[in-house]
Amino acid sequence: MKAVTESITKNRQPPATLRAMIERAYGAAQVPGGDDFAEEITHGWFNVAYRIRLRDGQQAVLKIAPPADVTVLTREQDMMRTELAAMELVADRTRVPIPRIDHADLSRELVDADYFFMEYVDADNFGIAAAEGRLPNEVVVAAGRQLGALNRELNAIVGPHFGPLRGPGSASWRVAFSRMIEDTLTDGARVQVDIGWSHDEIRAVLAEHAGALDEVTEPRFVELDLWTKNSMIKDGRIVAILDHERAVYGDPLMEAGFTGIDLPVFGDPTDFMTGYGIGELSASERVRRRLYSLYLAVIMVVETKYRGHQDPATYDFAREQLDLLMAQFGRGPVAR
């Protein structure tokens, strides 16, 4: 039996509720019998997702947002609606493969959250298959490059403002990104997370280097969460990109595929960058990329409290990454 990724944001539902959701999406004729028609997809950290078998044998994926009474980060509020908006954009304006949305229900009548059904993609999870050694090295390299090329196509979408896809927006990337960091620090303070650094130290690093953000003058669609584990591979090719819920309009250098430049634990970004068509970063690009990694590290520390993790391993890992980033900005180790 597969281990389940535990988080208090997982809005698991009983079979009777799942059947009612299926009926609303596909009609009464597709409601399955028995209780073994739903299998939880376990590697996600936020939404609960089920692989659903319909009465006629077809399969679909159901994603359910967190319960209404569970507090989430500021950037995660109504995040499923952001995902639906992002998927519509990607489908309309790119050739990047994503699952088809079959039905979305934002009424919160059957459950206390948004949910949607989408096409089931019969393929392997690229990141998991690669980590388990089930793919030849040449396939891993080629797929990594394809992921970079697909990400570049996503970034070709130009938005109306900087910041959250559905607003509120900013005319300046510096303002939008600064707000993103400030929101996360506020989220951390709200639940009294010790990030290992004073919030003023984080703000000081941002203020010192914020001038580099002013070079970003065109808001581009940024996935933010396009890791290898959010892509599906079949016959050596990426056939679907998943999880578009964190998308913003901003700087493409913020994409997850570049994170290994600053934080090696996230993997060598060479294949991704080759496929993307970018080589060495300029000095100011390196500063921006490092600021984005800093933001990610702060999020990783803060969100452990919001997920209700009992095992300290994730928190300790996130603290280590934040310390590494602060050292790259010339800040010494924190007194413990």
Side-chain angles (χ1 to χ4, degrees):
M1 185 166 178
K2 291 186 287 187
V4 175
T5 304
E6 285 303 335
S7 172
I8 59 175
T9 61
K10 293 290 187 79
N11 196 358
R12 299 183 178 98
Q13 296 295 321
T17 302
L18 296 178
R19 285 196 195 90
M21 297 162 81
I22 292 169
E23 181 173 0
R24 180 168 289 194
Y26 296 101
Q30 284 286 38
V31 176
D35 289 342
D36 61 349
F37 60 88
E39 176 187 2
E40 185 175 343
I41 299 170
T42 58
H43 63 266
W45 286 93
F46 188 67
N47 301 305
V48 69
Y50 294 100
R51 177 177 172 179
I52 299 290
R53 188 184 68 256
L54 303 175
R55 180 177 289 275
D56 68 359
Q58 293 185 69
Q59 297 186 82
V61 171
L62 166 63
K63 282 183 81 168
I64 310 173
D69 61 350
V70 170
T71 303
V72 296
L73 296 171
T74 298
R75 75 185 194 128
E76 295 172 336
Q77 294 169 4
D78 289 333
M79 199 158 67
M80 185 163 284
R81 300 184 186 208
T82 297
E83 177 161 27
L84 291 167
M87 292 178 76
E88 182 178 358
L89 264 177
V90 172
D92 287 348
R93 298 173 62 176
T94 79
R95 295 175 296 172
V96 174
I98 62 171
R100 179 191 68 251
I101 297 173
D102 288 343
H103 176 81
D105 188 345
L106 310 181
S107 69
R108 305 188 181 181
E109 293 171 349
L110 296 180
V111 293
D112 58 346
D114 299 334
Y115 69 89
F116 71 91
F117 287 87
M118 64 181 172
E119 170 190 10
Y120 170 72
V121 178
D122 185 14
D124 288 323
N125 181 291
F126 174 33
I128 293 175
E132 293 178 350
R134 292 189 280 115
L135 300 174
N137 184 64
E138 60 271 19
V139 169
V140 174
V141 170
R145 292 178 177 178
Q146 186 191 359
L147 208 58
L150 290 171
N151 208 151
R152 186 183 182 99
E153 185 174 351
L154 291 172
N155 296 152
I157 298 172
V158 179
H161 59 257
F162 288 106
L165 232 58
R166 299 184 301 116
S170 302
S172 157
W173 176 231
R174 183 201 287 232
V175 170
F177 180 71
S178 298
R179 183 175 295 133
M180 292 162 73
I181 285 192
E182 193 60 41
D183 283 346
T184 308
L185 293 175
T186 300
D187 290 336
R190 185 179 299 117
V191 293
Q192 300 181 318
V193 178
D194 176 14
I195 67 171
W197 301 83
S198 77
H199 291 188
D200 283 343
E201 287 175 297
I202 303 294
R203 294 184 184 107
V205 168
L206 175 61
E208 183 179 338
H209 300 283
L213 300 170
D214 291 334
E215 294 186 5
V216 183
T217 59
E218 188 172 52
R220 298 296 188 114
F221 179 94
V222 181
E223 275 278 312
L224 281 189
D225 210 26
L226 213 176
W227 309 96
T228 56
K229 288 184 179 180
N230 280 338
S231 62
M232 305 296 287
I233 190 169
K234 187 171 187 177
D235 298 328
R237 300 285 296 171
I238 301 296
V239 294
I241 302 297
L242 311 175
D243 291 353
H244 310 269
E245 60 211 9
R246 301 181 190 277
V248 300
Y249 289 122
D251 180 2
L253 279 178
M254 202 175 186
E255 292 289 17
F258 297 111
T259 306
I261 294 173
D262 303 300
L263 297 174
V265 71
F266 285 97
D268 185 348
T270 300
D271 295 333
F272 176 88
M273 292 177 68
T274 298
Y276 194 95
I278 191 170
E280 291 294 320
L281 303 185
S282 69
S284 61
E285 287 173 335
R286 289 286 289 110
V287 169
R288 296 197 327 254
R289 180 54 250 181
R290 194 173 294 130
L291 285 173
Y292 305 150
S293 293
L294 178 70
Y295 170 60
L296 173 63
V298 173
I299 288 172
M300 290 193 303
V301 177
V302 170
E303 72 180 4
T304 58
K305 191 70 172 282
Y306 284 82
R307 300 293 183 265
H309 293 169
Q310 301 301 311
D311 184 345
T314 303
Y315 171 82
D316 293 342
F317 168 79
R319 282 281 296 267
E320 289 173 4
Q321 304 315 305
L322 181 54
D323 288 352
L324 284 173
L325 264 302
M326 291 297 279
Q328 291 180 33
F329 280 112
R331 266 53 178 187
V334 153
R336 302 298 185 195

